[in-house]
Amino acid sequence: MRSIRFATVALATAALALPLMAGSAAADPSAGRTAAPHSHATSDRLRAAAPEGFVVGTAVAGGGHHLEQDYPDPFTYDREYRKVLARQFSSVSAENQMKWDYIHPERDRYDFGQADAIVEFAKRNKQVVRGHTLLWHSQNPAWLEEGDFSRTELRAILREHITTVVGRYAGRIQQWDVANEIFDDQGNLRTQDNIWIRELGPGIVADAFRWAHKADPRAKLFFNDYNVEGLNAKSDAYYTLIQDLLEQGVPVDGFSVQGHLSTRYGFPGDLKDNLDRFDALGLETAVTELDVRMDLPESGEPTEEQQRKQADYYQRTLEACLAVDGCNSFTIWGFTDKYSWVPVFFEGEGFANVMTDEYERKPAFYALRDTLKEAAREDDCKKHGKHHHRHGKG
């Protein structure tokens, strides 16, 4: 059996204690930036506004495309970023730091430094963690994609990876995206670009869930994808597959919609109906990667109408989740445009998050906060109503 070397968390932990580096925008108070209008009132935090038992999360920026950007690692070096991350959110997801190419860079070596730091940060700040992701066609290391492995070897590699990674964080990660983006938009399995399905067959998906459950029986295990917000061929494919897996006794706990939306397109008005049907299967549901990008004018500044439309998309997505009993996890894919993936991958589009580069809150932020507060008030009213009714009967 090959020996497996684990990178220690020491480097990442030490880096978290470092002063901000000069390359970080937040490090230079004389850079002419407007101070971010932060409120320290508990009622002005998304996590505090939420109804009891409903978590509000964000992706933790780092790894992936950030390595090619002209700033230091956001999570490690930007103190202001970490302050807002802790203050506003009750759930965190690693944007890239738990993906294969980052956490398993060589066959016999794992690098848990950043993932460990995120999980420890969450513990200190009373946040839950979503693990992302275990089986995916993208962001796999070259050693895996270009290796000459037999089916037996490949299956053993996946099983060992899932057992090792999920086992390391057993009891500390609330939900795992076990299988990510396994269907194309027509509802066909990715039999060509997904190495696991291509080489091992569709049954490997069920095995991944079984292995993850064995490694951490308490974690909730999810399918996760984009363009499945509404009722369409792709979400239908998941609905059919999950029914089949549940009948086989495969431990599938949830279905999540990513929610990478654009104001170019209409809002998926059947989002609640779609979540409802998965809820009816007994699954938990979640929104896991919400952002709302837009085409920016030449000035780079969005119009008031664009900001209003963006806020509406954020609000309607949250309202749909809140309206479904089993949708208790709502995650936006980053909170500041300073570290957004959108301009890197969608040329000409941007302004997708709820805060600007300077952490100023957009209408979308207030739309989320106010919607959460209203939902919390309604929950309180229902509880008080039941309480008074019980006493009346006595």
Side-chain angles (χ1 to χ4, degrees):
M1 182 175 177
R2 292 171 181 266
S3 62
I4 300 170
R5 293 173 284 129
F6 297 97
T8 67
V9 71
L11 284 175
T13 305
L16 286 172
L18 292 174
L20 286 168
M21 294 182 68
S24 172
D28 185 4
S30 62
R33 294 172 179 262
T34 304
H38 289 317
S39 164
H40 293 278
T42 302
S43 61
D44 211 28
R45 301 176 188 178
L46 297 178
R47 64 183 296 174
E52 185 178 350
F54 189 88
V55 299
V56 184
T58 183
V60 177
H65 75 275
H66 298 287
L67 300 176
E68 280 79 52
Q69 304 305 306
D70 61 355
Y71 48 68
D73 179 80
F75 175 67
T76 305
Y77 287 98
D78 192 332
R79 287 179 181 167
E80 181 73 0
Y81 177 85
R82 291 200 304 277
K83 284 181 184 176
V84 180
L85 177 67
R87 187 182 300 137
Q88 290 292 342
F89 302 99
S90 53
S91 174
V92 293
S93 305
E95 183 177 8
N96 293 292
Q97 300 94 326
M98 293 184 184
K99 291 173 180 172
W100 268 77
D101 61 352
Y102 205 92
I103 207 168
H104 199 167
E106 298 173 37
R107 183 174 181 182
D108 301 325
R109 182 173 69 87
Y110 290 82
D111 183 352
F112 287 113
Q114 283 292 292
D116 282 356
I118 290 169
V119 172
E120 182 56 37
F121 178 91
K123 181 181 178 182
R124 287 199 308 272
N125 292 289
K126 297 180 171 60
Q127 296 164 316
V128 297
V129 183
R130 292 196 84 258
H132 178 77
T133 176
L134 300 173
L135 184 154
W136 191 26
H137 67 275
S138 184
Q139 288 186 244
N140 288 324
W143 70 262
L144 174 66
E145 291 284 353
E146 298 169 12
D148 183 21
F149 302 113
S150 68
R151 286 170 56 91
T152 301
E153 286 175 317
L154 202 58
R155 180 179 170 84
I157 287 169
L158 180 61
R159 182 172 189 164
E160 180 223 85
H161 177 93
I162 291 174
T163 302
T164 301
V165 176
V166 177
R168 184 181 184 86
Y169 301 112
R172 295 187 288 166
I173 287 189
Q174 182 197 40
Q175 299 177 350
W176 270 105
D177 290 331
V178 175
N180 194 50
E181 302 173 6
I182 63 168
F183 288 104
D184 63 22
D185 284 347
Q186 288 71 48
N188 302 310
L189 277 173
R190 293 180 183 271
T191 53
Q192 294 305 308
D193 53 357
N194 187 308
I195 185 174
W196 309 112
I197 297 172
R198 182 182 69 237
E199 302 299 331
L200 302 175
I204 194 62
V205 175
D207 287 334
F209 278 87
R210 293 186 184 105
W211 296 333
H213 179 70
K214 186 175 181 181
D216 185 1
R218 288 185 289 174
K220 299 295 186 180
L221 308 180
F222 278 69
F223 280 100
N224 186 59
D225 214 326
Y226 65 93
N227 288 352
V228 291
E229 291 75 29
L231 299 162
N232 55 37
K234 196 174 190 181
S235 61
D236 286 348
Y238 278 105
Y239 186 70
T240 300
L241 173 63
I242 291 172
Q243 283 181 299
D244 184 46
L245 294 177
L246 292 175
E247 287 174 6
Q248 296 176 43
V250 178
V252 179
D253 299 302
F255 174 77
S256 53
V257 302
Q258 293 180 8
H260 294 296
L261 306 180
S262 170
T263 57
R264 282 185 183 181
Y265 313 109
F267 182 82
D270 49 359
L271 172 57
K272 179 184 177 298
D273 291 340
N274 189 35
L275 294 176
D276 273 335
R277 64 174 174 165
F278 288 96
D279 184 76
L281 294 178
L283 297 180
E284 293 187 15
T285 54
V287 174
T288 54
E289 305 182 21
L290 178 63
D291 47 34
V292 183
R293 63 189 186 272
M294 62 181 70
D295 294 287
L296 292 171
E298 285 186 20
S299 65
E301 295 295 322
T303 65
E304 287 188 13
E305 169 59 23
Q306 284 181 305
Q307 295 195 56
R308 185 206 61 75
K309 188 173 183 180
Q310 179 186 58
D312 178 64
Y313 279 29
Y314 269 100
Q315 180 173 346
R316 291 169 70 184
T317 306
L318 175 57
E319 287 173 343
C321 180
L322 286 165
V324 177
D325 285 343
C327 191
N328 298 313
S329 180
F330 179 87
T331 298
I332 57 178
W333 206 238
F335 56 89
T336 169
D337 292 335
K338 184 176 181 180
Y339 301 125
S340 174
W341 75 296
V342 168
V344 180
F345 291 90
F346 297 92
E347 189 176 351
E349 295 183 82
F351 204 74
N353 299 111
V354 299
M355 296 182 188
T356 66
D357 289 3
E358 291 82 21
Y359 301 98
E360 293 167 342
R361 298 166 182 179
K362 303 177 188 178
F365 173 90
Y366 295 108
L368 292 183
R369 184 201 64 182
D370 295 346
T371 301
L372 290 166
K373 283 185 175 180
E374 180 59 30
R377 278 194 295 268
E378 289 177 4
D379 274 12
D380 286 344
C381 286
K382 288 176 184 175
K383 288 174 186 174
H384 280 76
K386 288 178 181 177
H387 179 75
H388 289 307
H389 183 65
R390 283 197 301 271
H391 281 277
K393 286 179 71 175

